[in-house]
Amino acid sequence: MAQDDPRTLVSTEWLASHMRDPDLRILDGSMYLPGSGRDAKAEYDAGHIPGARFFDIDDISDSRSDLPHMAPPIEKFMSRLRAMGVGDGHQVVVYDGAGLFSAARVWWLFKLMGQNDVAVLDGGLPKWVAEGRDLEDMPPIVRDRHMTVRRQAHLVKDVTQVSAASKLRDQEIIDARSAGRFRGEEPEPRPGLRAGHIPGSKNVHYASLLNDDQTMKSPEETRAIFEAAGVDLSKPAITTCGSGVTAAILSLAMARMGKDDHSLYDGSWSEWGMFPTVPVATGDS
C-alpha cells in the first residue's frame, strides 16, 4: 500500500476520506495521444470524480510555441486556474482516465509554478471506478480564488541546456518512451521526427514504474528500476519523453524516492527529433 503524501501521490482511500475538506480541489488532467480514439473532455462531461474540474493540458499551455502543450506563461496559468477556482491554500489532487498517464504532467506544472500542495491520485479514475466509488456528470460550482505563482525555473530545461548535459554527461538524461522508440526501431507517433534518442540518455519506460492496476510501484522498486537502467542517482536528472507528458511520471517517481534534483525537458522528442543540428543516437546506448 502506497504511503499517502499530499505533495506527490495519494490513494483513492485518502481522497475518499478527504472529499469534504473545504480546501480540497480535484482536477481531471486526462489527455490522450492522437489516434487513441478517446476524447478527454467528453469523458469528463459524461462522468468524473465529484467536484472535479477539467484541466485541459493542450489549452493551458504556451500557444506561441509550435511544440505540443509546452508549459504556459505564468499569467495564463494563473488566470486559467483562478477561473477554475483553484488557488492559494488549496490542496490539489490530479487524476486521469488512463490510471497514471497525464496527471503527473499537471502535477509537474503546479510544481513549476511554485505550488507544492499537489498530489497525483494513485491508479487514477480506473481504480476509483473499479472500487465502486461515486461519479457525477454535473460541473462543479466555482468561485474565483487568487493564486500566487513563483516560477521554479530549475525544474524545466530547454534544448540548449539538454544538449550541454548530453555532451558533458554531468546530468543523467532519462527517457520515458518505450524501448523500441528509444532504440529508433519503432516509428514516432508524431510525423516528421527522426528516430532514436538523445546521446548519453538512459531508457526507463514510464510503464515499467507502474503496477498492473496503474498504481505506482514503491519507492524501493522504482529506485531499483532506475539503477538497473544504468541511471546514476547521485547526479542531477533530466527527464524526457515524446512531448513532456510521461517524463513527468519519472519526475514523480523520483520525488517519491526523495530525489529532488531533477528537471524536465519540456520540448522532449517533439523538439529534439525535429531539430536538425542536434545529434541522435540509436540502439541501446
Side-chain angles (χ1 to χ4, degrees):
M1 180 64 221
Q3 192 69 37
D4 291 312
D5 174 8
R7 293 188 163 200
T8 54
L9 200 65
V10 295
S11 63
T12 48
E13 290 84 357
W14 185 96
L15 181 58
S17 68
H18 287 82
M19 289 293 278
R20 298 191 187 285
D21 291 5
D23 285 327
L24 178 76
R25 293 292 178 270
I26 305 170
L27 300 179
D28 181 327
S30 302
M31 69 160 285
Y32 302 103
L33 291 173
S36 67
R38 295 184 70 172
D39 181 330
K41 181 63 165 67
E43 290 184 21
Y44 166 84
D45 290 339
H48 50 263
I49 293 178
R53 289 101 159 110
F54 185 70
F55 186 105
D56 188 331
I57 289 174
D58 284 321
D59 173 62
I60 306 176
S61 67
D62 187 352
S63 53
R64 303 163 305 184
S65 173
D66 296 334
L67 296 166
H69 42 252
M70 294 285 280
I74 284 176
E75 299 72 26
K76 185 174 186 180
F77 187 85
M78 283 170 64
S79 65
R80 288 288 198 277
L81 270 293
R82 181 177 198 145
M84 290 162 67
V86 180
D88 294 345
H90 284 150
Q91 169 67 48
V92 176
V93 175
V94 194
Y95 72 87
D96 65 54
L100 211 174
F101 178 69
S102 55
R105 169 72 186 189
V106 180
W107 168 86
W108 175 79
L109 278 174
F110 271 78
K111 298 286 183 183
L112 179 67
M113 299 298 173
Q115 302 291 316
N116 283 317
D117 296 325
V118 56
V120 171
L121 181 64
D122 203 19
L125 190 63
K127 188 168 190 287
W128 183 269
V129 170
E131 291 166 354
R133 302 184 190 275
D134 288 346
L135 295 178
E136 65 177 20
D137 57 7
M138 298 289 291
I141 297 163
V142 170
R143 295 177 188 84
D144 271 19
R145 180 83 159 238
H146 175 72
M147 177 182 280
T148 309
V149 169
R150 297 179 191 85
R151 193 172 186 274
Q152 308 294 306
H154 63 280
L155 292 180
V156 64
K157 293 282 189 279
D158 63 23
V159 66
T160 309
Q161 293 167 309
V162 176
S163 182
S166 171
K167 289 189 187 81
L168 295 171
R169 307 289 164 103
D170 56 344
Q171 301 180 66
E172 288 284 32
I173 304 169
I174 315 170
D175 192 325
R177 294 175 303 154
S178 67
R181 286 172 68 189
F182 180 84
R183 290 194 291 256
E185 297 164 358
E186 286 174 16
E188 284 296 311
R190 290 179 177 79
L193 298 181
R194 295 174 293 169
H197 59 266
I198 300 166
S201 59
K202 311 284 170 59
N203 185 208
V204 176
H205 188 207
Y206 77 88
S208 69
L209 302 176
L210 305 178
N211 297 305
D212 290 344
D213 65 354
Q214 301 303 296
T215 55
M216 187 170 275
K217 292 177 178 175
S218 72
E220 295 73 30
E221 290 171 301
T222 57
R223 180 180 293 277
I225 291 165
F226 281 112
E227 288 172 347
V231 174
D232 180 351
L233 290 168
S234 70
K235 289 183 182 177
I238 300 170
T239 62
T240 181
C241 59
S243 65
V245 173
T246 58
I249 298 174
L250 272 54
S251 302
L252 178 64
M254 284 190 279
R256 296 245 312 143
M257 287 155 39
K259 181 174 173 61
D260 295 324
D261 54 345
H262 53 83
S263 53
L264 185 146
Y265 173 25
D266 203 13
S268 281
W269 199 253
S270 300
E271 180 175 42
W272 193 281
M274 182 180 71
F275 230 72
T277 56
V278 292
V280 167
T282 53
D284 285 318
S285 61

